[in-house]
Amino acid sequence: MMVETITLGKALNHGLRRALENDSKVVIMGEDVGKLGGVFRITDGLQKDFGEDRVIDSPLAEAGIVGTAVGLAIRGYRPVCEIQFDGFVFPAYNQIVAQVAKMYYRSMGKVRIPIVIRIPYGGGIGAVEHHSESPEAYFAHTAGLKVVTCANPTDAYVMIQQAIASDDPVVFFEPKRRYWEKGEVDLDIDLAGAYPLHASRVAREGTDATVIAYGPMVRVALDAATAAAEDGRNLEVIDLRTLSPLDLDPVYASIRKTGRAVVVHEAPGNLGLGSEIAARITEECFYSLEAPVLRVTGYDTPYPASRVEEEYLPDLDRVLDAVDRSFGW
Amino acid sequence: MANGESEVGADAPAGGFVQLLTPEGERIDSVTTADGATYSVDFTDDEYRELYKDLVTVRRLDAEATALQRQGELGIWASLLGQEAAQVGSGRALRPQDMAFPTYREHGVLYTRGIDPIMPFGLFRGVDQGGWDANKYKFNGYTIVIGSQTLHATGYAMGVTMDGKTGSPDGEAVIAYFGDGATSQGEVNESFVWAGVFNAPMVFFCQNNQYAISEPLERQTRIPLYRRADGFGFPGIRIDGNDVLATFAVTRAALDNARNGQGPTLIEAYTYRMGAHTSSDDPTRYRIASEVESWKAKDPISRMKAFLTKQQLADDTFFGEVDDAARTLALDLRERVLAMPDPQPVSMFDHVYPNGSPEVDAQRKQFADYQASFEGSAH
């Protein structure tokens, strides 16, 4: 067992490398993914080792990156597209929601589009506009796309490989503010035996209230649980991992135990994932709930100037405040 | 002619085009363009007759579809009337290994790929999504969002190169179909960029039928469309899109260049949509009758018929047989379209994800249970 302590970004890099090694049909494409290794260095060294045909520096056009990936997929390749930043995905939006998502349905099962679209997302890195957004709900709303996100180095390493191996088109959101956080990763982990791609999981067990989070907010939720424990409250934290389809059975089981739910995400609250999750919890667990499902989210504004993003982003205090409100009901 | 200097064809637009068969049915042996390329065809008598038969058949099938739409049997139809030569000529220029990416109007190209012409009717009747096997027939599914398929074609062509299937006369080539309106789309321009910088084995086949629904060409461009290619670093050429021989000759040459590793070509097939954009459209609101009349004189079928007659390659018996065969095929199509069953409602849940989805599966079950709850329900 080769266990290394590496960052989430490096774990993605290792995962991509392994995918390139294991399947000659895997190709990586995007802006600056070659010599530069990506602006976050997630593809660092891959073009050097696999060549310009496997790791393709693309022209600067997002619709083109995804649109040509569709054609490559029809040809039998497994393209992994990198969209440089969350806010740059919209030029490719038509290709993703109208083509990638629907090709299998449109061809009545005869054409598969095993594409992965990697999107570094979320705030907290002090960037200018278009570099800190959380557009996951747009994609989770579209049938035909699977939408997932990782929260720790092991999931990053495993999930990127599972996504590439999957015949489903996957929009893979990477929590960019967590790229530099380290964790132990077993690089020899057996993918088939690993935690499945389309499953949520309990990140911390607890009994008093359930905090549901994903991607960059899992760390915040875990920190909140640590802080709450000092006050004698035992929070359960669930890392959703998959946003479409949602795997809510572990969430329902948790709420039947705790009776309280707080959903946390960076994206604006209006029609965000939290709304859907709250509605479904209400439908499934109505008699178990001691309080309404509460949401802690970004505000319904464009992503603000970075000097105020700490106030915009859900943090430990806002999560604990929501937990307090739940208990005050 | 191409790129500029031809005097050929009194019916040609400013700047000329490649024409091998005049509207009067006069054959032009060969055409050499300003860049030195020479275009001609080398058909046998039988092959000329087969091309004529293709044109008549495709027009007849299209007419049947228009009738079916008017009778309420199709929800909508995108007619190719007037564009038969552009589609048959380019489609017949494809080799079996070449891949085509159509819009929603390429019924003629579909026919030349050997696909059962009923295939698109499921889509337009609303009983399925089309759903032929794109890889088996080397003809991708119809794409409705304008221009999106040009990027798919370019990516596919990059894959051809990566597979080492270019650089020889037996290589593969890819053709993308789109209209004049599509040239305004960013995605089409991005596909030009991609195809250029990756030297993709591509033919961009633009059927300039003069209108994007109601908007004339002048709303899409201020230079002839074929000249756009210059800015992307590959050749552009304009052909008489109502001339099946020129269409064949130029498309074949462009495909051969692509398969030989010489990269993309943009072909502008200068033609005219004689009918409406789709059956929902009223072209009398935006174009004048005299314009339509002037294009009738350039009809792709009548000129081929005149040529065959003048050359004594065919007589009235032959023309009658072709008409009869096309009519028989169309009536057979009509019968089969009318017999197309409505799908089982639960089939809407099929083929959302290759690996399935618990959410979709749950909704399918919920739906099926609800349907079954109606007393006496057959579902």
Side-chain angles (χ1 to χ4, degrees):
Chain A
M1 201 167 88
M2 189 167 73
V3 177
E4 284 188 23
T5 301
I6 52 175
T7 63
L8 188 149
K10 194 67 183 171
L12 287 166
N13 178 268
H14 281 310
L16 291 167
R17 173 176 291 276
R18 212 166 112 170
L20 286 163
E21 283 167 356
N22 289 347
D23 186 346
S24 65
K25 292 296 185 185
V26 172
V27 292
I28 290 173
M29 47 206 293
E31 297 156 12
D32 307 303
V33 297
K35 283 201 175 71
L36 184 65
V39 292
F40 290 106
R41 310 292 183 267
I42 304 303
T43 56
D44 189 27
L46 299 179
Q47 189 185 63
K48 179 173 154 286
D49 293 340
F50 294 92
E52 292 185 358
D53 280 352
R54 301 287 307 282
V55 182
I56 303 168
D57 267 328
S58 75
L60 206 88
E62 286 75 15
I65 294 169
V66 178
T68 54
V70 170
L72 278 162
I74 293 172
R75 179 76 190 178
Y77 285 86
R78 302 185 88 84
V80 183
C81 303
E82 177 174 306
I83 301 295
Q84 202 156 65
F85 282 93
D86 34 61
F88 302 167
V89 72
F90 298 105
Y93 193 64
N94 167 55
Q95 284 291 339
I96 298 172
V97 303
Q99 305 299 329
V100 173
K102 296 195 171 107
M103 199 66 84
Y104 184 67
Y105 197 69
R106 181 183 299 147
S107 72
M108 296 161 69
K110 297 189 181 70
V111 175
R112 295 185 177 201
I113 304 289
I115 293 176
V116 175
I117 299 161
R118 295 179 40 236
I119 307 175
Y121 80 120
I125 64 163
V128 295
E129 67 165 349
H130 311 300
H131 291 69
S132 303
E133 298 173 10
S134 299
E136 62 271 17
Y138 295 111
F139 301 98
H141 191 64
T142 299
L145 300 174
K146 296 271 174 83
V147 183
V148 303
T149 180
C150 53
N152 59 62
T154 288
D155 269 358
Y157 179 67
V158 169
M159 289 174 75
I160 190 64
Q161 294 182 69
Q162 291 171 325
I164 293 168
S166 169
D167 275 355
D168 296 326
V170 178
V171 183
F172 194 95
F173 280 103
E174 300 172 359
K176 72 167 88 76
R177 66 194 285 195
R178 307 296 176 206
Y179 273 150
W180 301 276
E181 293 189 2
K182 289 186 174 177
E184 283 193 349
V185 179
D186 173 9
L187 295 174
D188 292 330
I189 190 168
D190 172 25
L191 290 184
Y195 216 73
L197 178 64
H198 304 305
S200 58
R201 75 168 149 197
V202 177
R204 175 188 172 119
E205 291 195 6
T207 51
D208 299 341
T210 305
V211 180
I212 301 142
Y214 56 86
M217 284 293 110
V218 173
R219 167 57 51 204
V220 172
L222 287 169
D223 289 348
T226 302
E230 291 168 12
D231 296 336
R233 273 189 188 144
N234 192 358
L235 304 186
E236 183 146 297
V237 176
I238 295 185
D239 174 2
L240 284 175
R241 298 173 79 252
T242 169
L243 308 181
S244 181
L246 282 164
D247 176 28
L248 295 181
D249 285 343
V251 173
Y252 302 149
S254 179
I255 286 156
R256 289 186 186 112
K257 180 171 65 175
T258 66
R260 300 177 197 282
V262 175
V263 191
V264 187
H265 59 62
E266 286 190 23
N270 185 40
L271 300 174
L273 265 289
S275 311
E276 176 68 20
I277 293 163
R280 291 216 219 166
I281 290 172
T282 307
E283 287 180 359
E284 290 292 326
C285 306
F286 187 69
Y287 290 108
S288 302
L289 286 170
E290 303 287 342
V293 181
L294 299 176
R295 289 172 294 161
V296 182
T297 69
Y299 298 107
D300 295 318
T301 66
Y303 196 86
S306 62
R307 291 297 177 94
V308 295
E309 70 179 340
E310 293 307 326
E311 283 68 42
Y312 173 89
L313 292 167
D315 62 6
L316 182 148
D317 289 334
R318 280 174 64 193
V319 175
L320 290 176
D321 178 63
V323 171
D324 283 345
R325 279 189 285 131
S326 181
F327 276 94
W329 213 269
Chain B
M1 121 155 47
N3 313 329
E5 285 103 45
S6 168
E7 301 301 319
V8 172
D11 53 318
F17 52 25
V18 175
Q19 186 182 67
L20 294 175
L21 186 64
T22 71
E24 295 74 35
E26 298 294 340
R27 181 81 168 78
I28 298 156
D29 280 342
S30 72
V31 171
T32 301
T33 56
D35 59 6
T38 297
Y39 298 100
S40 187
V41 291
D42 45 9
F43 290 123
T44 64
D45 294 350
D46 272 345
E47 286 169 337
Y48 280 123
R49 285 189 285 263
E50 282 300 312
L51 270 183
Y52 174 79
K53 190 175 176 182
D54 281 346
L55 294 170
V56 170
T57 304
V58 164
R59 175 169 294 183
R60 186 68 179 81
L61 290 169
D62 183 74
E64 199 63 39
T66 300
L68 283 164
Q69 194 282 329
R70 289 293 181 238
Q71 292 159 9
E73 299 294 343
L74 301 179
I76 195 169
W77 182 250
S79 169
L80 61 70
L81 183 64
Q83 299 176 223
E84 296 88 351
Q87 296 198 12
V88 167
S90 60
R92 285 297 179 209
L94 294 166
R95 294 203 201 164
Q97 70 268 31
D98 296 337
M99 181 75 168
F101 285 80
T103 69
Y104 44 78
R105 201 189 296 283
E106 269 67 69
H107 324 303
V109 184
L110 178 142
Y111 179 76
T112 67
R113 294 311 272 164
I115 300 174
D116 184 340
I118 200 171
M119 288 309 297
F121 283 78
L123 176 69
F124 291 105
R125 188 170 167 81
V127 301
D128 64 33
Q129 309 281 333
W132 53 88
D133 190 330
N135 284 307
K136 179 179 171 190
Y137 294 105
K138 296 281 185 181
F139 185 80
N140 197 56
Y142 281 180
T143 305
I144 291 177
V145 179
I146 300 297
S148 292
Q149 76 284 357
T150 58
L151 280 169
H152 307 166
T154 304
Y156 187 96
M158 289 166 66
V160 169
T161 303
M162 286 152 63
D163 287 345
K165 300 289 188 183
T166 56
S168 89
D170 298 324
E172 295 181 36
V174 181
I175 190 165
Y177 289 89
F178 54 102
D180 39 304
T183 62
S184 298
Q185 289 280 358
E187 293 185 10
V188 172
N189 287 274
E190 288 185 28
S191 72
F192 290 168
V193 171
W194 243 264
V197 300
F198 289 106
N199 199 43
M202 275 294 303
V203 175
F204 292 103
F205 193 90
C206 175
Q207 289 170 84
N208 174 3
N209 69 13
Q210 313 298 330
Y211 287 91
I213 305 188
S214 69
E215 295 190 359
L217 185 63
E218 292 71 34
R219 277 289 172 187
Q220 315 300 334
T221 186
R222 60 183 282 177
I223 63 161
L225 293 176
Y226 72 95
R227 285 177 52 195
R228 294 271 183 96
D230 281 350
F232 297 94
F234 52 84
I237 185 165
R238 187 161 58 191
I239 56 177
D240 181 346
N242 284 15
D243 168 2
V244 71
L245 304 184
T247 304
F248 179 93
V250 172
T251 309
R252 178 178 60 179
L255 288 164
D256 282 342
N257 286 343
R259 82 179 81 252
N260 281 318
Q262 293 166 48
T265 301
L266 169 62
I267 296 173
E268 178 190 356
Y270 198 80
T271 183
Y272 193 76
R273 188 189 77 215
M274 296 300 291
H277 163 68
T278 72
S279 46
S280 300
D281 167 34
D282 176 9
T284 63
R285 282 175 174 246
Y286 54 79
R287 61 190 194 189
I288 54 175
S290 61
E291 178 183 290
V292 180
E293 285 305 310
S294 76
W295 277 93
K296 268 187 189 166
K298 305 173 190 174
D299 184 80
I301 296 182
S302 64
R303 77 173 71 179
M304 196 62 184
K305 189 172 185 176
F307 164 71
L308 292 175
T309 304
K310 283 178 189 172
Q311 298 296 313
Q312 298 186 320
L313 297 175
D315 55 17
D316 285 347
T317 307
F318 170 79
F319 294 128
E321 285 168 0
V322 170
D323 287 343
D324 286 347
R327 182 170 174 277
T328 301
L329 191 63
L331 293 181
D332 174 63
L333 177 78
R334 157 174 290 268
E335 278 183 23
R336 292 164 65 210
V337 168
L338 295 178
M340 280 179 132
D342 284 349
Q344 288 295 318
V346 76
S347 70
M348 76 174 91
F349 296 98
D350 293 344
H351 308 307
V352 182
Y353 298 93
N355 293 344
S357 158
E359 290 181 342
V360 176
D361 292 347
Q363 286 180 20
R364 174 203 296 272
K365 184 174 182 312
Q366 196 176 36
F367 177 82
D369 291 348
Y370 179 67
Q371 294 272 300
S373 72
F374 291 98
E375 203 175 345
S377 167
H379 295 292

